[in-house]
Amino acid sequence: MRLEVQCQDRQGLVHELLNLLVKRNIDLYGIEIGENYTVYLRFSSVDFDDFSGLMAEIRRTPGVSDVRRVTYMPSEQAKRALHALVNSLPDPILCTDIKGRIELTNPAAQQLFSLNQQTPAHSLTSLIPNLELPSTQTKKSLPLTLQGRDFLVEVCPLFLPDDDTSQVQQTGTLVILNSATKIGRAVTLTDLDTEGAFNHIIADSPKMRQVVQRAKKLAMHDAPLLIIGETGTGKDIIARACHQLSPRHSQPFLALNCGSIPDDVAESELFGHAAGAYPNALESQKGFFEQAAGGSVFLDEIGEMSPSLQTKLLRFLNDGTFRRVGDEHEVHVDVRVICATQKNLQELVDLGTFREDLFYRLNVLSLQLPALREHPQDLMALASFFVARFAHEQGIAVPRLASSLASHLSRYHWPGNIRQLKNCLFAAMTQFEGDELRPQDVNLPSYTTDDDVDVLQLEGTLDEINGRFERSVLTKLYASYPSTRKLAKRLGVSHTAIANKLREYGVGQKSSDYKASNER
């Protein structure tokens, strides 16, 4: 119950009001002092007779002009209004205390970060790791990518006056995540000129964190950078992030896949051509190196470059000069060259298909990207990132990821790496219905290679390594012994043990088919 007591400014009046509650054994839950000498009391429920008697005694108290029952205390009303305002806003909003613990979120933020009423209190840095809380009254804005979506984040420190010191004290922080498309500007990698350049890169595992740390250091140099990694490991993303973090971030970043176009076209794309160099070439054309002057050029699949083009590239790397196709005049530009390959360039040098001097010229700074199977700790973070992005693109709520999805995804070796995982989840999201993405929603490709058993996958704990190896053995042998009894006999263990292992690792046919195969 709540009462509003209109009274005079008389010393001891509040104490007398509280004594009336104590006399009737009524528990006090809260008291507030409002403007114009108004006292608000919140207390436990009482029956009608006690309440009528209490109201009469309060009215007889000297200095009290009026008393009435109210629905809410002033603080409760203000809190309700604040929640209604915050909940009506479409952009995610979070409010923290002075230590960065989240105290308030609106539905948009709860959906973005998969929070609910039962979720324990999070720290702001656990949800947005790269965000620093301000220590001054200055508001700041920065672009960030969260859950596959781009935002312009406003960080506003909150201050209240301190009655004892007559100074303002920081009480917390308000974080507003403005949607990039809503505010009329696309927050992309070109907007990120500091640490934010690497926000698109998932690096929860120690191995990937080391890669990112090394990449950030190499990004600050002008020497050629060689990025090595299997297909789908994100070489182009790392290359672009390195450019955005470098002092060249305000200049162009142009990319060319050396293995996707004919040699003569690649030469013209890189170095340009003079008027008349080709049929129908009526005007001269600048190539990538001239167009990216002051910036960076990314040459993907450099191992596919022809010997003649390798020679011209080597000269450019040596002194920064080249000639357009069909032109006699030399051009000089300042461009950083970033190359990528999935091939072993040293083997190509030994075979005579790649120039040794160019190899050493390119390999000044190098970065090795691990295959996805070498950092399985990033699987779920990547899955969450892609699922959130696809859900946003489809205009649907971001589904939860079932806890069993992690073990399901880790059972596959992902030879196509991050790109294959992305495509697999995209296919799942196009058919998905519901609010939770489960293992049965994600179809993993079948194992068709002979290298399923890979004892060199040493990432993780001993139990994790043994689990991957054991699962690989069962997967390989199940093709030849397609029943739990046959497989148990082959491995010299009990039928029950094999049945449990097959069920644990999801090896073989669907669970409804296990019974049929076991009865044979």
Side-chain angles (χ1 to χ4, degrees):
M1 306 185 74
R2 298 162 180 82
L3 292 180
E4 178 188 86
V5 183
Q6 299 286 344
C7 51
Q8 300 174 359
D9 184 13
R10 180 172 69 81
Q11 187 174 6
L13 177 59
V14 173
H15 182 70
E16 293 179 19
L17 294 176
L18 297 181
N19 283 339
L20 294 178
L21 300 179
V22 173
K23 184 176 69 173
R24 293 177 176 273
N25 294 321
I26 298 175
D27 293 329
L28 179 69
Y29 293 156
I31 181 171
E32 296 179 21
I33 310 297
E35 298 179 354
N36 301 322
Y37 310 116
T38 304
V39 178
Y40 295 88
L41 303 173
R42 177 170 174 257
F43 49 87
S44 58
S45 298
V46 295
D47 59 34
F48 179 78
D49 291 338
D50 283 342
F51 181 71
S52 299
L54 175 65
M55 294 286 281
E57 289 191 47
I58 292 177
R59 287 192 176 96
R60 290 195 297 269
T61 302
V64 173
S65 58
D66 191 20
V67 58
R68 67 189 182 96
R69 186 171 178 177
V70 293
T71 306
Y72 299 107
M73 304 280 278
S75 61
E76 293 175 320
Q77 184 64 32
K79 187 175 181 180
R80 283 172 57 87
L82 175 62
H83 276 272
L85 174 63
V86 170
N87 291 344
S88 67
L89 297 177
D91 291 328
I93 294 177
L94 307 97
C95 189
T96 76
D97 62 13
I98 187 62
K99 294 184 178 180
R101 292 187 294 257
I102 295 175
E103 295 183 320
L104 174 67
T105 58
N106 69 341
Q110 294 164 13
Q111 179 178 329
L112 177 66
F113 296 107
S114 299
L115 305 175
N116 54 52
Q117 298 297 331
Q118 289 73 39
T119 302
H122 285 79
S123 65
L124 183 63
T125 53
S126 69
L127 300 181
I128 314 177
N130 296 324
L131 189 65
E132 294 183 3
L133 296 180
S135 57
T136 66
Q137 298 188 43
T138 303
K139 182 176 104 173
K140 66 177 183 178
S141 301
L142 70 160
L144 284 178
T145 299
L146 301 168
Q147 306 296 332
R149 297 169 56 188
D150 292 321
F151 296 95
L152 184 65
V153 181
E154 294 185 42
V155 184
C156 311
L158 303 177
F159 289 84
L160 284 177
D162 189 320
D163 295 335
D164 296 331
T165 63
S166 300
Q167 296 180 347
V168 294
Q169 299 289 334
Q170 185 172 356
T171 59
T173 305
L174 178 66
V175 180
I176 305 173
L177 285 71
N178 294 300
S179 172
T181 54
K182 176 176 175 291
I183 62 177
R185 63 186 291 259
V187 179
T188 64
L189 278 172
T190 56
D191 295 298
L192 309 176
D193 55 2
T194 57
E195 294 289 324
F198 283 85
N199 281 344
H200 286 68
I201 299 171
I202 303 297
D204 286 354
S205 66
K207 180 164 289 190
M208 277 305 296
R209 285 200 296 268
Q210 292 175 3
V211 169
V212 170
Q213 290 172 1
R214 176 171 171 78
K216 289 179 178 179
K217 294 178 181 179
L218 299 182
M220 308 310 295
H221 299 278
D222 278 337
L225 172 62
L226 179 62
I227 303 175
I228 307 165
E230 295 181 7
T231 181
T233 51
K235 299 185 288 295
D236 55 336
I237 301 296
I238 287 285
R240 187 179 289 272
C242 286
H243 168 76
Q244 290 299 327
L245 189 62
S246 75
R248 300 175 178 268
H249 66 267
S250 60
Q251 301 302 319
F253 175 88
L254 300 179
L256 178 71
N257 190 314
C258 300
S260 64
I261 56 178
D263 185 44
D264 56 340
V265 177
E267 182 177 9
S268 178
E269 288 287 337
L270 286 177
F271 301 103
H273 62 262
Y278 301 107
N280 300 323
L282 303 180
E283 297 180 355
S284 61
Q285 178 67 47
K286 291 182 179 180
F288 276 19
F289 287 129
E290 285 186 85
Q291 296 175 40
S296 305
V297 169
F298 174 55
L299 303 179
D300 199 6
E301 299 304 336
I302 190 68
E304 303 287 343
M305 183 175 282
S306 68
S308 61
L309 200 54
Q310 290 178 32
T311 302
K312 198 165 185 177
L313 176 61
L314 177 62
R315 184 192 174 197
F316 172 73
L317 292 175
N318 286 334
D319 57 17
T321 62
F322 62 90
R323 292 179 182 177
R324 296 178 183 173
V325 178
D327 199 348
E328 296 180 355
H329 301 287
E330 289 192 343
V331 179
H332 181 276
V333 292
D334 174 27
V335 168
R336 187 189 191 186
V337 176
I338 304 176
C339 299
T341 181
Q342 59 177 307
K343 294 186 176 182
N344 188 322
L345 293 186
Q346 183 62 65
E347 291 183 357
L348 297 182
V349 170
D350 296 339
L351 294 171
T353 59
F354 199 85
R355 291 185 62 112
E356 184 176 16
D357 46 4
L358 178 59
F359 169 66
Y360 290 122
R361 190 69 180 83
L362 291 175
N363 200 28
V364 177
L365 304 174
S366 63
L367 187 66
Q368 180 77 47
L369 298 190
L372 181 55
R373 60 182 173 275
E374 297 175 9
H375 54 109
Q377 297 97 322
D378 291 319
L379 262 172
M380 287 305 293
L382 287 164
S384 177
F385 177 88
F386 290 134
V387 167
R389 168 171 290 183
F390 297 145
H392 178 62
E393 291 174 353
Q394 297 173 25
I396 62 175
V398 179
R400 299 187 306 273
L401 301 186
S403 57
S404 56
L405 187 61
S407 59
H408 179 66
L409 295 179
S410 64
R411 291 167 185 164
Y412 186 60
H413 287 177
W414 301 107
N417 295 293
I418 299 174
R419 183 185 297 117
Q420 185 185 18
L421 173 66
K422 176 182 177 181
N423 294 338
C424 185
L425 291 172
F426 177 75
M429 288 295 291
T430 59
Q431 305 294 322
F432 173 73
E433 294 181 358
D435 57 2
E436 184 179 63
L437 192 66
R438 301 166 299 173
Q440 53 264 44
D441 298 317
V442 182
N443 294 322
L444 299 181
S446 301
Y447 289 90
T448 57
T449 62
D450 294 331
D451 58 352
D452 290 322
V453 180
D454 185 356
V455 297
L456 298 180
Q457 294 184 54
L458 302 181
E459 188 76 19
T461 65
L462 181 60
D463 287 341
E464 292 171 340
I465 296 171
N466 286 336
R468 287 197 298 270
F469 181 78
E470 191 172 52
R471 193 249 174 226
S472 297
V473 170
L474 294 176
T475 299
K476 192 176 182 69
L477 291 179
Y478 191 83
S480 302
Y481 303 90
S483 78
T484 53
R485 297 189 184 280
K486 293 178 180 178
L487 189 54
K489 183 177 180 180
R490 163 64 178 81
L491 294 175
V493 295
S494 70
H495 162 262
T496 301
I498 285 297
N500 291 337
K501 289 294 183 182
L502 292 176
R503 187 178 303 108
E504 176 184 354
Y505 295 121
V507 175
Q509 305 170 14
K510 297 180 180 179
S511 57
S512 59
D513 296 330
Y514 278 122
K515 181 178 179 180
S517 63
N518 292 339
E519 292 173 350
R520 298 191 185 104

